[in-house]
Amino acid sequence: WSGRRHHVAGHVGAEILRCLLDRNWLARTRHSRALRLTPAGHRGLRQMFDVDLNTAAQGNRRGLRVAPSPSA
């Protein structure tokens, strides 16, 4: 159930999940469908995609900020 939020489903979503799990960027939690972003995941997303998820603690509603590129 997506709760009317944008999401990635089907084969593309499954492949993204597999890749993130294979890189140990996400970890499964016991007895739940929830996933946990690992420290390696924080670093990897920042380095590969220039995405900083730490802004959630700063009040960003979605906890997602795409940092500007160095050339901007």
Side-chain angles (χ1 to χ4, degrees):
W1 178 70
S2 68
R4 295 187 184 256
R5 294 183 182 181
H6 297 290
H7 66 282
V8 179
H11 183 72
V12 172
E15 285 301 306
I16 292 171
L17 174 61
R18 183 193 57 76
C19 179
L20 295 174
L21 289 169
D22 287 350
R23 290 174 178 262
N24 295 315
W25 289 9
L26 287 179
R28 296 185 185 276
T29 59
R30 291 181 188 237
H31 310 296
S32 173
R33 295 184 342 174
L35 298 166
R36 178 179 56 83
L37 185 64
T38 67
H42 277 279
R43 285 189 305 274
L45 289 171
R46 176 74 174 147
Q47 291 170 356
M48 186 171 287
F49 300 107
D50 204 20
V51 172
D52 182 2
L53 298 176
N54 291 322
T55 58
Q58 299 171 4
N60 184 322
R61 186 170 67 93
R62 291 189 176 145
L64 178 64
R65 177 181 66 82
V66 177
S69 66
S71 62

